Amino acid sequence: MDASGSQQLLDGDWDDISDSEFLNIPCEQQDIDPHRPLSSETDGEHSVDFDSPSVSTLSVYNHNEEALGQETVKTDYARGLKRKSLHENSFSPMQRFFKRHLSVTLLCDQSWCEMKTVYSLLKPHLKRKDLQCTEVQRGKEIHLLRELEIQDTVPIDIRTREDAEAIKLLNMLHMIPLLEAGERVREFPVFGVQEGVFVMGVIDELMYNQKGELVVNELKTRKCNSMPSSAQDKVNCFQVGLYKLLFDGLVRGEVKKDHVLNHLKLRSAQVLGARVQAHAKSIGVQVTTFEELLDALLITVSCSDLPCVDMLQLEYYHQGSSGPIGNRVAPFDEAQLRAELQGYLAYWTGQREPKGVDIEEAWKCRSCLYEQTCDWRKNRSQVSDQQAAHASSCS
Ligand code: SF4
């Protein structure tokens, strides 16, 4: 039984094919003064998303009359964001884009093209339109059908950000004993601090193989009835590698209560809503406040019998026929993965400027939403033209 926020249908949030990250921007910025350091405590009513398909924190915001009254401010600020230079460096990108955390989805997008990720934040309407396309919707349907194969969804009324996050923690608490008993679980949230940045994701499926190894199984749906290109494969391997880092950190007890409370600006003493408390009780968890629930989750996961992830698997399905295309075991090189992650996070923490694709990956630009407006692509074309002109003048 998987609990979900009752406003789920209004949002359609989804993890690895979702727009959950940029949907956070209007929510997170609503009560933030752009001139004030973002570390200050907020009123706790704007959205933070655990990158989960199950809970719509944006919808919580939409149901808040006070928040609706701030629509004008929000729109003006969005225009201001568009006018800002990509290279403005008075705030780090984490601050500039009002991010308390990064999602695995966003980091995977970044590994495809960092500049594209930045444009998707500056021009969210374009990405939103793209996500309405048939293939994304079909992928969502297939994911949902798979999730419902093994667990029902119970809608729960949520009123605060803490309620929304509590639902995800309760889902974890519900799934941990199932996993300990050798069952498979789907949509398992994971989170932790990497290089000083809070990162969240949702593992598609966790199960044991015949050797008794714990496997992360990531379902990918494809329009083409063929295995992905090496470039796409690289992104997918990075994704499941991140899941392992985050999951292993949880079971090793590396995630601390303060990481969650401080990074996400959640109120520890916030009393959970009556429906959330009732749901907690129904799965054997007696809690009143968010802090009590967070303590319960962190102790349960770190003291559980769960092992670290042994194997990473990618499972490809064809969207048209819903039939399998093939499986692939993803390699895991922790040092390489951490180095790659460090490189991506260096942009978010303001240590370097964003960059677009290398010349040998210029083919990515041909299917990019931002091809016409991308400065990186324009500059690269100019450099190529100058080099060609120089070569012909020398010959
Ligand atoms: S046009 Fe190319 S470099 Fe620019 S955002 Fe798109 S993929 Fe990246």
Side-chain angles (χ1 to χ4, degrees), residues 113 115-116 119 356-357 364-365 368 371 374 376-377:
C113 173
M115 196 56 85
K116 188 175 176 186
Y119 279 123
V357 295
K364 288 182 178 174
C365 302
C368 178
E371 185 191 9
C374 175
W376 180 274
R377 187 181 163 280

Side-chain angles (χ1 to χ4, degrees), residues 87-119:
H87 307 294
E88 177 172 339
N89 56 12
S90 52
F91 293 106
S92 74
M94 286 295 284
Q95 294 168 316
R96 211 178 314 149
F97 292 114
F98 305 99
K99 290 199 166 294
R100 297 187 179 111
H101 78 277
L102 296 179
S103 72
V104 170
T105 308
L106 189 87
L107 289 164
C108 292
D109 277 353
Q110 187 181 3
S111 74
W112 180 262
C113 173
E114 187 168 274
M115 196 56 85
K116 188 175 176 186
T117 306
V118 176
Y119 279 123

Side-chain angles (χ1 to χ4, degrees), residues 1 170 274-287 293:
M1 181 175 58
L170 287 170
R275 300 285 171 87
V276 178
Q277 286 192 46
H279 177 68
K281 204 170 171 187
S282 75
I283 62 167
V285 182
Q286 288 277 5
V287 287
L293 178 58

Side-chain angles (χ1 to χ4, degrees), residues 3 21 25 35 49 59 133 139 154 245 263 293 359 369 372 387:
E21 273 299 331
I25 296 172
H35 303 297
D49 201 329
S59 303
C133 74
V154 181
L245 274 192
H263 282 268
L293 178 58
I359 194 83
L369 281 175
Q372 301 303 323
Q387 285 172 342

Side-chain angles (χ1 to χ4, degrees), residues 24-26 28-29 32-38 77-78 80-100 115 118 121-122 346-354:
N24 274 345
I25 296 172
E28 292 197 4
Q29 73 191 28
I32 297 175
D33 178 345
H35 303 297
R36 197 176 69 196
L38 293 179
Y77 205 83
L81 262 183
K82 283 184 192 171
R83 281 197 298 269
K84 275 175 183 272
S85 158
L86 286 174
H87 307 294
E88 177 172 339
N89 56 12
S90 52
F91 293 106
S92 74
M94 286 295 284
Q95 294 168 316
R96 211 178 314 149
F97 292 114
F98 305 99
K99 290 199 166 294
R100 297 187 179 111
M115 196 56 85
V118 176
L121 294 169
L122 290 167
Y347 162 68
W348 292 104
T349 51
Q351 296 171 56
R352 63 170 176 79
E353 299 295 336

Side-chain angles (χ1 to χ4, degrees), residues 112-113 229-231 234 355-366 376 380-381 384 387:
W112 180 262
C113 173
S229 65
S230 59
K234 192 168 165 251
K355 54 188 182 200
V357 295
D358 292 334
I359 194 83
E360 57 271 20
E361 290 199 316
W363 54 269
K364 288 182 178 174
C365 302
R366 289 201 294 273
W376 180 274
R380 203 193 49 222
S381 301
S384 299
Q387 285 172 342

